[in-house]
Each structure stands twice: as structure tokens, then as C-alpha cells.
Amino acid sequence: MRQVTRTVRALSVFGVTTLLLTGCATGTGSQDGPAAEFDADSAITGELSVMGFGVNDEIAESRFESAQAELPDVDITLVEGDLDIQQFLSAVASGEPPELIYANRDQLGTFASRGAIMPLNDCLDAEAIDTTNFREPAMNQVTFEDQVYGVPEFNQVQVTMANAGLLEDADLSLDDVDGSDWNGVTEAAEKVFTTDSGRISVIGYDPKLPEFLPIWARANGADLLSADARTAQLNDPAVVQALEFAAGLYEIQDGFSAVKAYRDSADFFGSGNQFASSTLGAMPMEQWYINILNDVSPDAEMAFTTVKDTSGEDLSFSSGSAWAIPAASSNPEAACRFIGHMTDAETWVAAAGVRAEARQAEGKPFTGLFTGNQTADDQIREQFVKPSDDAKWDEAIDASYAANESSFSLPANPADAEFKTAWQDGVNRVLNGQQDPQEAMDQAQEEAQTALDEAWSTWDDE
């Protein structure tokens, strides 16, 4: 089985930039020297620099403090803020990467194929990190060519959120906007959509393009990428049909540009959000937005259910973060133990208890915690998720947990960024009126497949 042990290459800034923009699959580094010696019984010392992770809420703070206590002889420093890909790859190319990174899961296939991060199979075995406790869609995103390159952290899924008052006024129900009947969704969008003096005043239904194309495609029985991650399927007839449907929802509501402009004008994170102001009928949205709504507009007329495919089954697209160890990490042993502790069910449950207490003190419901660790999620729900005084939030919680059990993901591949850019650009060309769905997805298919072929060819030849 392939072990990534390429020598660090001191790439110029131009070289790293080219790597990012063109998808060149040149290896960017690995550990050169003694192999990591993972051992659960060994004393861990030294320094641990963590890039991409911040202590910005009680969940992160509780877990980080617990990890510090677990590693008392390790000097842990955080490079906060989202992972800067160029900064990271430049650090790898210079031979001085951080000891640990916190990245989006859909970045790891590219990092792994370029030798920027190390396989973690030995780490997982030594620290007894049981990957069977983690959700399969999350693990699929961090597994490349049968090697695990990351350990999942949070898990994000989507639910259908709706303004109950607007639905009732239009004689509609959640069944009309859950996605199970595309004709029904179109009719609902038309009924709720309202204009005032020629300008949009209420968006009937927002399908959240371009980012949610994978959901609409899967709802129609198609995936954007083959299971082996080698073949793009962007112009599959079912994908094209899904794009026609979702983009068509904008066309019957004065077009994408008008809807987007009105959507962007909303106080999305404030008390004047689109649901509280009754300016949006329904949309699919990540479950974390439920807490925002509960915080800033608890009295808004809301209703929640899962997103459903065309056969009526629950559906959601799994995304989220993961821990990975750079291939030239100077302290992979500390990084591995840190990962094991941060993603352990016991650590997650303790952090959830802190948040549940905080929510109770504020008189607000605890809506759950959604991680890549299914064991942790089950324990958290059992211990801390209690019925609230408002049935709509219980409805939101139930929908979120159902979505978490019905998620899918795209497999890791060596051209993650280029593949995503290809299909999103294709969707945007449709939304901007530059191409019809078939033309756009044909072009996206060619671009995506070229990127995949080049990246896989380089990997297979090494």
C-alpha cells in the first residue's frame, strides 16, 4: 500500500501559486528522516503548532482546554482563522509546516495526492481511534486510495426551513416544499413569491444555487462524481435535469440576479432575517442556522423538516472539517494524540454539557451537536437534548438528527478544488444566462474530467 514519503521540495512562491490555480499535482512535501513513532504509552513533549483552528466558542474552548490537560508537556500554539491554503502549501514547500492542520474535508484529497499530509493509519491504530465510530460519509471524504488522511470533526447537514405563516397563507404545507415533489415545489414558489411595485417583496423558494447542486442531483438519483473519484458525471441527464429544475425556480421569481440581490439585502444573522421579516417562504439550509434563528428571532413563525429526494426519502449533503498532520510535521506524535483526544466521544460529550448549561442559563433550548463521531452524537442527544417549550424547535431538532442519519458526500479526489470550481462555474453560467443547463454541464464535464485525469495520472505514475 502506497506510503507518501516524498522529499520536501522548496517551491517558489510562483510555484505554489501555480499549484493552487492550475491544479498541478506536483508533490509538495513529506516527512524526510525518522518515521513517526506512534505509541499510546509514550510520553509526549515538544511543541505543537495548529493551523486553522480557533477557540471561538464554548465547544472549542472546552475541548481545547481538555486537550491541553491531556498534553501537559506540550507547548500548543494556535494559528487562528480558516486554513489559508497558500500559506499552508508555502509552509510545506519551505520544509517548515505546522505540526497539525484543521481543514475542510474536501481539501484533503488534493493535499494527500500532493504529499502535503501523511496517512494516519498508524496513528489511528496506536491511539486506538476507532474509525467505525465515525460517520461513513465523513470518512469517505478523508480517505484517499484506501489510506485515511484525516479525522472528521464537525458535520454539517441541511434541513428544510420555512416561514409557517407564509405557507399557511398560501394554503401550503411543509410537504409542498420538502423537495419530494418538484412540481409541488415550483407551484409553492409561484404561490408565495410576491412583488411590490415591480420589485421582489417575498421570495417563494430559494434552492440555494450554486452550492446545493449536489443535493438536487442526488435527489434525482445522480452523483456528480463516481464512487472511485476518477470520473466526473456532471452532464449525466439526471444532473442536467436537476439543474434545470433548481435554476428554473429562480426564473419564475424574476431571475437569479434579482433573487440574489434581495436575498443578500436581508439581515441574515440578525432579528430582521428573511424568516422573521416574512420575506422568504422556504429554503434548504445548514442546521447550524437553527441556533441563529433561535437566538435572534425565537418568536418567528417557523417550520422545519428534512430535505427529501424525489422518492420521499430524507437527504442531506455532508460537509465539515477534519484534522490532518502535515507530512513534514516535526511532532506528529503530539499531533496524533491531540487529534485522538479532540475527537473522542467523551471529549465531545463534556463540551456538549458546557453548551447545554449555557443554553439553559439563557432560557434557550439546546439543539444538539453534530459531529463526525456518531457515537458522540448519540450520547449527546440522549443526555442533553430535551423537549422545549416551543414545538417548532423540537421539530427543528428532529429534522436535523434525521438529516444527519441520511447524509452523503463526494469521495476524496486529487483535484478537489478544480472539480468543485468546474461544476460551480457551470451552474453560475446558467444562473447568469450565459448557457443553458446542458451546454453548461457539458463544458463543466470536460473541464472537470481533464483536471481529474491529469491529477490521477500524476498520482498513478509515482
Side-chain angles (χ1 to χ4, degrees):
M1 191 169 292
R2 181 189 302 256
Q3 296 289 330
V4 181
T5 56
R6 305 181 184 92
T7 302
V8 173
R9 298 172 183 172
L11 298 179
S12 66
V13 173
F14 173 78
V16 173
T17 302
T18 301
L19 176 69
L20 294 172
L21 298 181
T22 68
C24 171
T26 301
T28 58
S30 75
Q31 187 169 357
D32 198 25
E37 297 182 358
F38 299 115
D39 182 352
D41 297 324
S42 65
I44 302 294
T45 61
E47 297 181 350
L48 182 66
S49 174
V50 184
M51 180 180 287
F53 179 77
V55 182
N56 49 20
D57 62 18
E58 67 273 13
I59 297 295
E61 182 177 5
S62 169
R63 293 164 60 236
F64 181 64
E65 289 177 353
S66 179
Q68 287 179 307
E70 181 73 9
L71 295 163
D73 298 320
V74 177
D75 181 16
I76 306 174
T77 59
L78 302 180
V79 182
E80 297 195 27
D82 292 339
L83 182 72
D84 185 314
I85 298 177
Q86 183 169 349
Q87 181 185 6
F88 169 59
L89 291 180
S90 295
V92 170
S94 71
E96 298 182 352
E99 282 74 48
L100 180 64
I101 63 170
Y102 187 70
N104 290 333
R105 294 200 294 262
D106 63 7
Q107 297 171 332
L108 296 194
T110 296
F111 290 166
S113 71
R114 294 170 181 171
I117 56 178
M118 67 171 60
L120 299 182
N121 296 60
D122 290 343
C123 158
L124 300 174
D125 290 343
E127 294 292 336
I129 302 172
D130 186 357
T131 57
T132 63
N133 290 330
F134 292 82
R135 296 185 180 278
E136 183 176 351
M139 287 303 302
N140 287 343
Q141 289 183 300
V142 300
T143 303
F144 181 74
E145 290 290 84
D146 297 324
Q147 293 270 36
V148 176
Y149 283 88
V151 180
E153 262 260 317
F154 284 102
N155 201 45
Q156 294 181 5
V157 294
Q158 307 76 29
V159 300
T160 297
M161 305 183 186
N163 182 298
L166 289 175
L167 293 186
E168 183 178 359
D169 290 345
D171 196 25
L172 298 168
S173 71
L174 281 170
D175 292 342
D176 297 303
V177 294
D178 64 10
S180 58
D181 179 354
W182 286 4
N183 289 331
V185 174
T186 301
E187 292 174 3
E190 290 178 316
K191 286 184 178 181
V192 177
F193 175 70
T194 307
T195 60
D196 184 9
S197 301
R199 299 170 66 92
I200 297 176
S201 56
V202 180
I203 299 169
Y205 186 96
D206 185 354
K208 295 297 296 293
L209 292 181
E211 60 267 35
F212 283 179
L213 177 65
I215 296 177
W216 295 116
R218 173 57 79 94
N220 204 33
D223 285 314
L224 304 188
L225 184 63
S226 64
D228 65 2
R230 290 177 179 263
T231 305
Q233 300 173 159
L234 301 182
N235 61 352
D236 182 296
V239 175
V240 175
Q241 184 181 38
L243 178 55
E244 289 174 341
F245 158 70
L249 291 171
Y250 291 120
E251 289 305 306
I252 63 173
Q253 299 179 95
D254 283 3
F256 175 72
S257 59
V259 172
K260 184 178 186 303
Y262 191 59
R263 179 177 72 189
D264 291 349
S265 69
D267 182 19
F268 193 78
F269 293 99
S271 59
N273 64 76
Q274 62 273 32
F275 289 119
S277 60
S278 295
T279 56
L280 172 64
M283 67 175 178
M285 183 61 193
E286 285 89 353
Q287 89 285 344
W288 55 260
Y289 194 52
I290 292 169
N291 273 343
I292 301 294
L293 295 172
N294 180 257
D295 283 337
V296 301
S297 53
D299 297 325
E301 293 184 279
M302 294 297 305
F304 302 89
T305 189
T306 51
V307 178
K308 293 181 170 57
D309 64 21
T310 55
S311 63
E313 298 297 319
D314 296 340
L315 175 70
S316 67
F317 180 52
S318 174
S319 64
S321 49
W323 296 103
I325 303 178
S329 172
S330 62
N331 199 349
E333 295 85 0
C336 180
R337 187 158 300 176
F338 182 92
I339 291 173
H341 189 76
M342 290 288 282
T343 60
D344 184 70
E346 185 176 342
T347 307
W348 279 119
V349 171
V354 174
R355 171 164 290 180
E357 289 181 4
R359 298 291 289 180
Q360 184 177 19
E362 296 170 352
K364 298 174 181 177
F366 173 64
T367 58
L369 201 60
F370 298 90
T371 79
N373 189 322
Q374 185 161 359
T375 300
D377 288 353
D378 292 344
Q379 293 178 8
I380 289 168
R381 186 178 193 185
E382 181 179 355
Q383 293 184 39
F384 302 115
V385 179
K386 308 299 181 184
S388 70
D389 295 330
D390 191 332
K392 67 189 176 192
W393 303 119
D394 296 332
E395 188 178 72
I397 292 168
D398 289 343
S400 296
Y401 275 100
N404 214 24
E405 297 298 328
S406 307
S407 65
F408 73 98
S409 65
L410 300 181
N413 74 82
D416 286 321
E418 296 82 4
F419 179 80
K420 185 175 182 178
T421 296
W423 68 256
Q424 289 203 345
D425 283 354
V427 175
N428 283 325
R429 289 193 296 273
V430 173
L431 298 178
N432 295 330
Q434 297 168 281
Q435 291 179 322
D436 66 36
Q438 186 67 63
E439 293 172 327
M441 289 296 100
D442 283 343
Q443 179 180 333
Q445 173 69 20
E446 182 176 351
E447 294 169 350
Q449 193 60 55
T450 296
L452 288 169
D453 288 345
E454 290 177 353
W456 276 113
S457 177
T458 301
W459 171 264
D460 291 337
D461 288 344
E462 291 178 350

